[in-house]
Amino acid sequence: MKEQKSLRLDKYLADMQYGTRSQIKEIIRKGRITVDGAVIKSADIKVIPGTNVVTVDGVSVSYAEFEYYILNKPAGVVSATEDNSCKTVLDCIEDKQRKDLFPVGRLDKDTEGLLLITNDGQMAHALLSPKKHVDKVYYAEIDGDFDSEMKEKLERGVSLGDFVTMPAVIKILEKGQELSKIEITIREGKFHQVKRMFEAVGRNVTYLKRLSMGPLKLDEALFPGDYRVLTEEELGELKRITEKE
Ligand code: URA
């Protein structure tokens, strides 16, 4: 089992959103904090998460070093940590403990589907690294028919002006004159990439939803806007592909 590191009491409480370090010092000065049952009057002590019991006003405060959530991002919400006018994906995670969470990669405002939210920078970096080639699977609806020539172009790789995409994997789910339904797997994650790829073959994406990212799959029990903590199994799979060899 991983050994827990000690950290300063004020950092412990600041990480768990009990205020700024100076606000916490004030709470401590007022004698509202106990560690292992003893009232503490100085921020200058270290505690070990999971070993020492910290309370604020008698309520025990557990410590989360890392948090991992899977969100089914709804349309209309931005993939940012804060925004002056729009609801963000972090606003969707109502019972988060940490204040330093961020989305791993971005989905457009009108895109729905799988988004990993965490504060694990090393994992995020590895998942987004172009070198790791993590597969991202999207369900796309496009405004017209989809023929074999378009499929072959996307499977070869198309030029988006500033770069040529890696070959995509295309599954045609439904074809129609007005609307076609396509599953597309890509290994990169450039700005508006899926929409730009379909544009490159003459089609507009009218609906886009991410279904998976590497081993992490969208949980169909989650309605748009719903989220949950990753299971041990999901977390283990992500660690396996992202931790350094
Ligand atoms: N590609 C896009 O065009 N938009 C997204 O949100 C994700 C991938």
Side-chain angles (χ1 to χ4, degrees):
M1 208 164 115
K2 202 176 142 202
E3 199 182 311
Q4 278 286 4
K5 285 184 293 214
S6 65
L7 72 167
R8 279 177 59 104
L9 180 59
D10 51 353
K11 173 157 169 51
Y12 181 111
L13 290 166
D15 283 351
M16 295 301 99
Q17 308 199 68
Y18 275 80
T20 61
R21 298 281 270 269
S22 59
Q23 285 165 337
I24 288 161
K25 283 200 178 90
E26 187 57 21
I27 303 176
I28 292 173
R29 206 187 51 75
K30 288 185 172 152
R32 291 167 52 195
I33 312 256
T34 66
V35 174
D36 295 339
V39 174
I40 299 298
K41 284 292 179 80
S42 158
D44 202 19
I45 68 156
K46 287 194 157 186
V47 288
I48 303 175
T51 299
N52 298 121
V53 177
V54 177
T55 72
V56 178
D57 298 330
V59 177
S60 155
V61 180
S62 63
Y63 187 78
E65 184 181 8
F66 292 111
E67 288 188 280
Y68 303 89
Y69 295 97
I70 176 174
L71 168 69
N72 184 353
K73 178 192 170 298
V77 166
V78 292
S79 297
T81 51
E82 51 189 348
D83 191 275
N84 287 337
S85 52
C86 220
K87 183 170 176 179
T88 72
V89 290
L90 287 191
D91 296 329
C92 297
I93 313 293
E94 284 169 1
D95 53 5
K96 57 185 172 289
Q97 280 183 269
R98 298 195 63 102
K99 61 180 183 319
D100 53 358
L101 300 179
F102 57 87
V104 178
R106 282 166 188 267
L107 292 177
D108 297 336
K109 190 172 174 184
D110 59 355
T111 301
E112 294 185 357
L114 173 79
L115 197 57
L116 172 64
I117 311 267
T118 184
N119 61 316
D120 186 338
Q122 189 265 324
M123 176 183 285
H125 181 76
L127 281 172
L128 298 175
S129 161
K131 284 192 221 121
K132 288 270 181 188
H133 296 321
V134 172
D135 281 351
K136 276 135 314 217
V137 182
Y138 293 87
Y139 165 79
E141 293 183 357
I142 57 170
D143 64 347
D145 202 2
F146 189 74
D147 59 31
S148 54
E149 201 181 319
M150 294 170 178
K151 181 173 186 282
E152 279 159 24
K153 275 190 188 164
L154 293 176
E155 285 175 341
R156 269 199 308 270
V158 283
S159 171
L160 299 183
D162 47 342
F163 82 112
V164 177
T165 64
M166 290 171 74
V169 177
I170 301 289
K171 217 193 268 178
I172 302 174
L173 305 174
E174 208 175 297
K175 265 160 62 71
Q177 286 309 309
E178 308 283 309
L179 166 84
S180 297
K181 299 179 179 177
I182 315 289
E183 197 180 278
I184 176 168
T185 304
I186 59 171
R187 296 189 147 180
E188 301 138 306
K190 296 268 180 7
F191 190 57
H192 296 327
Q193 182 159 339
V194 173
K195 290 174 186 166
R196 289 164 68 204
M197 287 174 79
F198 280 105
E199 265 164 35
V201 297
R203 290 290 174 262
N204 287 314
V205 171
T206 53
Y207 175 77
L208 189 62
K209 176 175 169 180
R210 182 155 62 192
L211 303 176
S212 68
M213 184 176 190
L216 191 60
K217 306 226 172 342
L218 182 64
D219 180 340
E220 291 296 339
L222 295 176
F223 287 103
D226 287 352
Y227 67 94
R228 64 163 170 76
V229 169
L230 289 197
T231 63
E232 285 294 319
E233 203 182 344
E234 288 167 333
L235 188 55
E237 280 290 292
L238 284 178
K239 287 193 169 163
R240 194 177 55 74
I241 66 154
T242 57
E243 276 176 0
K244 290 196 187 91
E245 285 86 37

